[in-house]
Amino acid sequence: MESSALGLFMRDSSVWTYPIVNLTHILGIASLFGATLIIDLRLLGVWRRVPLAPLADAAVPVAKAGFLVAATTGVALLATKATEYAGNPYLLIKFAAIALGLANVYVLSLLPAWRARRERAPSQAEARWLTFMGGISLACWLAAVAAGRLIAYW
Amino acid sequence: MRTFARVLIAIALLSPLPALAHHGWAGYAEEEFEISGVTTTAVSLAGPHATFKIKVGEQVWDVTLAPPPRTSGAGLNATTIPVGSKVTVHGHRHKDAKRFEVKTERVNHNGKVYNVYPDRT
C-alpha cells in the first residue's frame, strides 16, 4: 500500500499534499459525525417534537457524503506511511468502531420502524429499539473519532 | 433552551480528549538531547512530519522533523543531505527509552544548521 502510486503521490507530490488531504479528511469526519449526532440524539429522545423523517431526510445524505469523503481521504493518509501505521493499536480500534458503526446503520435500515418513518410513528417497543440503536451509533462514531485522533499520540 | 443545555452537557461529558496533552512535544523528554550519526535515508517530506534515519554505532535512530512545509521552509529538502552524510541532530528524545527517536529542532550538516523549529531554543 505504501509503495502504491497513491502512497508515492502523498509523499512526493508537494509538501502541501498531506495537509490538504488531512484537512479534507477532517471536513468529512465533521460532516459525518455532526449529521450522525443529530440523528442519534433524536433517536435517544432529544427533540421529540421534531419529526424523525424530515430530520433524517436532511441529515442522512450529509452523513453519507461525509463518510465517503472521510473514507477516500483516509485511504490516502494511510498509504503515506502504511507500514508505520500497521503497528498502531488505535488504528485497529478505529477500524473496529467504524465496522460496528456501519453494521449498526445496516441493521437500523432494516428495522420496520425506521423504514416506515415517513408513514407512522414507532410503537413503544420499536421506540425502545430505536433509542438503543441511537446509543450504539453514538458510541461507535465517538470511539472512531477518539481512536482516530489518538493515532497521532502513539 | 433546556434541550440546548442538555446537549451541551452531553457533549462536555463525552469529550475527555482535550484534557490529553497535545502530541507535539508531550511524548518527548524535557532535557535537550543531541546525537551524531550517519544518515541512512534522505529526508522524507511526507506528512504528518518530515523524517529521516541515522545510524549511531549499530543503532538506527528515527529523526522526526517539523511538518513538511515547515521543514522545507527551513531549507531541508529530499536532496539537501545525501545518504551517508554525517549529521548532528538536536532536539528531544522520546520518553520511552526503548524507542530510538528524536523529535528534532535543529540539524547540523557540514557546518550548516537547519533550524526547523526556530521558535524553540
mmCIF file of all heavy atoms in Angstrom, chain A residues 31-32 35 39 54-68 117:
data_model
loop_
_atom_site.group_PDB
_atom_site.id
_atom_site.type_symbol
_atom_site.label_atom_id
_atom_site.label_comp_id
_atom_site.label_asym_id
_atom_site.label_seq_id
_atom_site.Cartn_x
_atom_site.Cartn_y
_atom_site.Cartn_z
ATOM 1 N N SER A 31 -18.648 16.376 8.895
ATOM 2 C CA SER A 31 -19.966 16.207 8.276
ATOM 3 C C SER A 31 -20.612 14.909 8.743
ATOM 4 O O SER A 31 -21.786 14.888 9.129
ATOM 5 C CB SER A 31 -19.840 16.182 6.750
ATOM 6 O OG SER A 31 -19.106 17.292 6.307
ATOM 7 N N LEU A 32 -19.852 13.826 8.710
ATOM 8 C CA LEU A 32 -20.372 12.520 9.132
ATOM 9 C C LEU A 32 -20.788 12.555 10.595
ATOM 10 O O LEU A 32 -21.921 12.199 10.945
ATOM 11 C CB LEU A 32 -19.300 11.442 8.916
ATOM 12 C CG LEU A 32 -19.552 10.094 9.607
ATOM 13 C CD1 LEU A 32 -20.790 9.418 9.033
ATOM 14 C CD2 LEU A 32 -18.345 9.172 9.473
ATOM 15 N N ALA A 35 -23.778 15.157 11.408
ATOM 16 C CA ALA A 35 -25.088 14.705 10.929
ATOM 17 C C ALA A 35 -25.565 13.493 11.724
ATOM 18 O O ALA A 35 -26.742 13.385 12.097
ATOM 19 C CB ALA A 35 -25.006 14.370 9.441
ATOM 20 N N ILE A 39 -29.046 12.779 14.345
ATOM 21 C CA ILE A 39 -29.980 11.644 14.267
ATOM 22 C C ILE A 39 -29.933 10.818 15.551
ATOM 23 O O ILE A 39 -30.972 10.434 16.100
ATOM 24 C CB ILE A 39 -29.659 10.739 13.061
ATOM 25 C CG1 ILE A 39 -29.674 11.557 11.772
ATOM 26 C CG2 ILE A 39 -30.671 9.597 12.961
ATOM 27 C CD1 ILE A 39 -29.310 10.763 10.549
ATOM 28 N N PRO A 54 -38.307 14.039 8.337
ATOM 29 C CA PRO A 54 -37.633 15.162 7.668
ATOM 30 C C PRO A 54 -36.232 15.417 8.203
ATOM 31 O O PRO A 54 -35.338 15.828 7.452
ATOM 32 C CB PRO A 54 -38.551 16.367 7.951
ATOM 33 C CG PRO A 54 -39.480 15.936 9.010
ATOM 34 C CD PRO A 54 -39.550 14.453 9.009
ATOM 35 N N LEU A 55 -36.055 15.140 9.497
ATOM 36 C CA LEU A 55 -34.724 15.302 10.096
ATOM 37 C C LEU A 55 -33.735 14.350 9.415
ATOM 38 O O LEU A 55 -32.631 14.738 9.027
ATOM 39 C CB LEU A 55 -34.802 14.995 11.601
ATOM 40 C CG LEU A 55 -33.687 15.554 12.479
ATOM 41 C CD1 LEU A 55 -33.729 17.073 12.479
ATOM 42 C CD2 LEU A 55 -33.807 15.021 13.894
ATOM 43 N N ALA A 56 -34.191 13.100 9.252
ATOM 44 C CA ALA A 56 -33.337 12.090 8.611
ATOM 45 C C ALA A 56 -33.114 12.427 7.135
ATOM 46 O O ALA A 56 -32.024 12.209 6.605
ATOM 47 C CB ALA A 56 -33.968 10.705 8.755
ATOM 48 N N ASP A 57 -34.160 12.974 6.476
ATOM 49 C CA ASP A 57 -34.016 13.365 5.068
ATOM 50 C C ASP A 57 -32.868 14.344 4.882
ATOM 51 O O ASP A 57 -32.158 14.306 3.871
ATOM 52 C CB ASP A 57 -35.313 14.011 4.554
ATOM 53 C CG ASP A 57 -36.382 12.953 4.284
ATOM 54 O OD1 ASP A 57 -36.026 11.757 4.263
ATOM 55 O OD2 ASP A 57 -37.557 13.329 4.112
ATOM 56 N N ALA A 58 -32.695 15.234 5.860
ATOM 57 C CA ALA A 58 -31.620 16.226 5.755
ATOM 58 C C ALA A 58 -30.281 15.646 6.206
ATOM 59 O O ALA A 58 -29.247 15.863 5.569
ATOM 60 C CB ALA A 58 -31.966 17.457 6.596
ATOM 61 N N ALA A 59 -30.301 14.913 7.299
ATOM 62 C CA ALA A 59 -29.031 14.501 7.927
ATOM 63 C C ALA A 59 -28.384 13.287 7.259
ATOM 64 O O ALA A 59 -27.148 13.220 7.173
ATOM 65 C CB ALA A 59 -29.254 14.221 9.413
ATOM 66 N N VAL A 60 -29.186 12.341 6.805
ATOM 67 C CA VAL A 60 -28.603 11.102 6.264
ATOM 68 C C VAL A 60 -27.715 11.350 5.033
ATOM 69 O O VAL A 60 -26.594 10.828 4.968
ATOM 70 C CB VAL A 60 -29.701 10.044 5.973
ATOM 71 C CG1 VAL A 60 -29.134 8.862 5.188
ATOM 72 C CG2 VAL A 60 -30.307 9.558 7.288
ATOM 73 N N PRO A 61 -28.162 12.169 4.043
ATOM 74 C CA PRO A 61 -27.277 12.420 2.896
ATOM 75 C C PRO A 61 -25.973 13.110 3.297
ATOM 76 O O PRO A 61 -24.914 12.815 2.729
ATOM 77 C CB PRO A 61 -28.103 13.340 1.991
ATOM 78 C CG PRO A 61 -29.515 13.156 2.432
ATOM 79 C CD PRO A 61 -29.477 12.816 3.878
ATOM 80 N N VAL A 62 -26.039 14.011 4.280
ATOM 81 C CA VAL A 62 -24.820 14.688 4.744
ATOM 82 C C VAL A 62 -23.874 13.659 5.373
ATOM 83 O O VAL A 62 -22.662 13.664 5.107
ATOM 84 C CB VAL A 62 -25.160 15.801 5.773
ATOM 85 C CG1 VAL A 62 -23.880 16.426 6.325
ATOM 86 C CG2 VAL A 62 -26.032 16.866 5.132
ATOM 87 N N ALA A 63 -24.435 12.756 6.167
ATOM 88 C CA ALA A 63 -23.619 11.722 6.810
ATOM 89 C C ALA A 63 -22.979 10.811 5.760
ATOM 90 O O ALA A 63 -21.793 10.481 5.843
ATOM 91 C CB ALA A 63 -24.470 10.904 7.777
ATOM 92 N N LYS A 64 -23.776 10.426 4.756
ATOM 93 C CA LYS A 64 -23.259 9.538 3.698
ATOM 94 C C LYS A 64 -22.112 10.208 2.942
ATOM 95 O O LYS A 64 -21.060 9.609 2.717
ATOM 96 C CB LYS A 64 -24.369 9.193 2.705
ATOM 97 C CG LYS A 64 -25.241 8.031 3.160
ATOM 98 C CD LYS A 64 -26.254 7.699 2.070
ATOM 99 C CE LYS A 64 -27.176 6.568 2.515
ATOM 100 N NZ LYS A 64 -28.370 6.482 1.649
ATOM 101 N N ALA A 65 -22.334 11.458 2.534
ATOM 102 C CA ALA A 65 -21.295 12.184 1.793
ATOM 103 C C ALA A 65 -20.051 12.342 2.663
ATOM 104 O O ALA A 65 -18.925 12.156 2.193
ATOM 105 C CB ALA A 65 -21.820 13.549 1.356
ATOM 106 N N GLY A 66 -20.266 12.675 3.944
ATOM 107 C CA GLY A 66 -19.144 12.823 4.870
ATOM 108 C C GLY A 66 -18.349 11.535 4.986
ATOM 109 O O GLY A 66 -17.118 11.545 4.967
ATOM 110 N N PHE A 67 -19.060 10.411 5.079
ATOM 111 C CA PHE A 67 -18.372 9.128 5.192
ATOM 112 C C PHE A 67 -17.522 8.846 3.954
ATOM 113 O O PHE A 67 -16.367 8.421 4.053
ATOM 114 C CB PHE A 67 -19.368 7.986 5.400
ATOM 115 C CG PHE A 67 -18.688 6.641 5.533
ATOM 116 C CD1 PHE A 67 -18.178 6.243 6.756
ATOM 117 C CD2 PHE A 67 -18.523 5.817 4.442
ATOM 118 C CE1 PHE A 67 -17.519 5.037 6.891
ATOM 119 C CE2 PHE A 67 -17.862 4.598 4.561
ATOM 120 C CZ PHE A 67 -17.361 4.205 5.793
ATOM 121 N N LEU A 68 -18.098 9.118 2.790
ATOM 122 C CA LEU A 68 -17.388 8.870 1.532
ATOM 123 C C LEU A 68 -16.093 9.690 1.455
ATOM 124 O O LEU A 68 -15.031 9.173 1.100
ATOM 125 C CB LEU A 68 -18.310 9.224 0.363
ATOM 126 C CG LEU A 68 -18.180 8.350 -0.872
ATOM 127 C CD1 LEU A 68 -18.671 6.941 -0.575
ATOM 128 C CD2 LEU A 68 -18.944 8.956 -2.036
ATOM 129 N N ARG A 117 -40.721 5.338 8.682
ATOM 130 C CA ARG A 117 -40.702 6.585 9.464
ATOM 131 C C ARG A 117 -41.501 7.714 8.817
ATOM 132 O O ARG A 117 -41.944 8.629 9.493
ATOM 133 C CB ARG A 117 -39.263 7.030 9.716
ATOM 134 C CG ARG A 117 -38.493 7.394 8.452
ATOM 135 C CD ARG A 117 -37.032 7.713 8.775
ATOM 136 N NE ARG A 117 -36.301 8.100 7.579
ATOM 137 C CZ ARG A 117 -35.791 7.240 6.701
ATOM 138 N NH1 ARG A 117 -35.955 5.931 6.877
ATOM 139 N NH2 ARG A 117 -35.133 7.675 5.632
#
